[in-house]
Amino acid sequence: QKEVEQDPGPLSVPEGAIVSLNCTYSNSAFQYFMWYRQYSRKGPELLMYTYSSGNKEDGRFTAQVDKSSKYISLFIRDSQPSDSATYLCAMSAVGGTSYGKLTFGQGTILTVHP
Amino acid sequence: NAGVTQTPKFQVLKTGQSMTLQCAQDMNHNSMYWYRQDPGMGLRLIYYSASEGTTDKGEVPNGYNVSRLNKREFSLRLESAAPSQTSVYFCASSAIGGETRTYNSPLHFGNGTRLTVT
């Protein structure tokens, strides 16, 4: 079983829809959670990061972490065609020898059509 | 502001050939990483360097070597390329570590090197 599981999709939604992307994980040492967005033929770019449990909002994006369930989510409100990309969840332990080594989900391919 | 720069962007090798992938960052980051990305597998860590002069193995190090040439540059070498090493390779850097003992800092990625081994 992989440490981080993410539904690869693909996910196709109409413009303006609310999108929910999810990951589950098994390693309880993970405390630092990130969402990356990756456009075709580009590197992943950081979208959101949160430390430990809770919610974090940035414009149309909300990241949610539930450590008790080992479950993280990314919500996109009022989705736009420019949001079409692959979304990767990533997480790491903190301190010690973790040195920011990230464990990634497989990525979810999202298409927002006009 | 270039961020993380990788060269080359594309490369085709024959089985058994060698090559070095170059990576440089201009953000004065302490830590640098090499990942590979394969369909259905996400990104997997090959090697990382927590500081200048140190390197450590990640999840999939076999068949690769690395050099942290200085604080800015971190190269990945394939000594004898195999078809299983066909992948997209990403370099990343982070402010983690160093004199400030930063523990929480995201990774910043380059745009990748697309490698095909025939």
Side-chain angles (χ1 to χ4, degrees):
Chain A
Q1 183 186 2
K2 294 181 179 178
E3 279 190 298
V4 179
E5 296 279 358
Q6 181 177 6
D7 186 345
L11 191 59
S12 181
V13 301
E15 184 174 355
I18 296 173
V19 176
S20 172
L21 304 166
N22 311 295
C23 288
T24 59
Y25 63 96
S26 58
N27 187 345
S28 41
F30 289 149
Q31 300 233 12
Y32 191 40
F33 304 94
M34 283 142 278
W35 286 95
Y36 283 84
R37 178 175 62 194
Q38 185 177 22
Y39 291 115
S40 180
R41 300 199 169 265
K42 295 290 188 182
E45 58 175 328
L46 182 69
L47 203 55
M48 300 280 285
Y49 71 95
T50 58
Y51 178 66
S52 197
S53 286
N55 291 358
K56 182 173 182 178
E57 189 173 319
D58 184 2
R60 296 184 295 110
F61 299 92
T62 300
Q64 193 173 77
V65 174
D66 181 349
K67 288 188 68 184
S68 62
S69 301
K70 295 190 176 67
Y71 188 88
I72 70 170
S73 300
L74 178 71
F75 298 96
I76 307 174
R77 291 184 299 280
D78 187 25
S79 55
Q80 303 294 310
S82 58
D83 295 328
S84 298
T86 297
Y87 289 80
L88 299 149
C89 64
M91 45 199 81
S92 74
V94 176
T97 59
S98 62
Y99 285 110
K101 290 180 287 184
L102 298 183
T103 302
F104 283 85
Q106 301 95 310
T108 299
I109 300 169
L110 171 67
T111 301
V112 181
H113 50 88
Chain B
N1 189 1
V4 179
T5 303
Q6 293 183 237
T7 55
K9 290 184 170 59
F10 303 94
Q11 185 71 49
V12 179
L13 292 178
K14 294 188 189 307
T15 297
Q17 287 185 317
S18 62
M19 79 162 294
T20 299
L21 283 64
Q22 307 286 354
C23 174
Q25 52 93 8
D26 63 3
M27 294 174 281
N28 200 35
H29 282 168
N30 302 303
S31 299
M32 297 186 74
Y33 312 79
W34 278 104
Y35 283 86
R36 60 178 287 174
Q37 185 174 35
D38 303 290
M41 302 294 290
L43 283 97
R44 293 179 293 168
L45 182 64
I46 305 171
Y47 270 94
Y48 69 101
S49 170
S51 62
E52 186 178 347
T54 68
T55 61
D56 282 287
K57 295 178 181 178
E59 181 185 354
V60 288
N62 291 344
Y64 305 96
N65 285 300
V66 290
S67 295
R68 183 75 182 267
L69 304 169
N70 47 57
K71 192 171 185 179
R72 289 188 64 246
E73 298 172 288
F74 188 37
S75 63
L76 178 72
R77 182 160 178 84
L78 286 70
E79 289 291 351
S80 179
S84 61
Q85 294 178 304
T86 293
S87 187
V88 183
Y89 291 86
F90 289 100
C91 177
S93 70
S94 167
I96 286 174
E99 294 176 356
T100 60
R101 298 184 182 276
T102 301
Y103 288 119
N104 299 326
S105 185
L107 270 62
H108 299 265
F109 286 84
N111 280 326
T113 294
R114 283 154 183 81
L115 174 66
T116 302
V117 183
T118 61

